[in-house]
Amino acid sequence: MSISDVSRDNPALIHTEHCIVMSHTQRDEGEWVQHTLMLKNYETPFRFRRPKKYRSLKGTEVTVDYYPQTTLVAGFEMETMRVVRIRRC
């Protein structure tokens, strides 16, 4: 696994390669599908939305570009990662 900045223009954007997906859930939210990934060696969920469901990514290696963010869940602040790009390796 390697981590590097994607752009000097946007230092908050993080690029990771060869991350193994431990869990992949898909939940309908109106016209969108909310995807939540848990990656090996990370305790924070990675979230993104797409118009359609994917086949399961569980057990695959992926390359992910994401932004760290804080989300309010049931009155508690929770750190999540907002995925802007994901690809299978």
Side-chain angles (χ1 to χ4, degrees):
M1 173 177 60
S2 65
I3 299 174
S4 63
D5 287 333
V6 172
S7 170
R8 291 178 191 216
D9 297 335
N10 195 347
L13 183 64
I14 300 170
H15 175 78
T16 61
E17 296 179 345
H18 303 288
C19 296
I20 298 174
V21 178
M22 302 304 290
S23 167
H24 178 203
T25 61
Q26 302 179 58
R27 188 172 47 257
D28 289 327
E29 286 188 351
E31 296 180 12
W32 293 91
V33 177
Q34 176 73 45
H35 297 262
T36 304
L37 303 175
M38 292 300 293
L39 303 179
K40 188 174 185 176
N41 299 325
Y42 288 89
E43 295 179 8
T44 311
F46 289 73
R47 302 176 68 187
F48 62 96
R49 295 185 331 162
R50 294 284 186 247
K52 298 180 182 180
K53 288 190 174 186
Y54 276 171
R55 63 181 177 212
S56 179
L57 295 171
K58 186 176 180 179
T60 62
E61 282 191 3
V62 293
T63 298
V64 182
D65 296 337
Y66 64 91
Y67 291 101
Q69 67 180 12
T70 303
T71 306
L72 192 63
V73 177
F76 295 98
E77 285 190 359
M78 179 177 168
E79 185 179 24
T80 60
M81 305 299 181
R82 185 172 55 94
V83 176
V84 293
R85 181 175 168 233
I86 186 167
R87 289 185 2 183
R88 290 178 186 257
C89 292

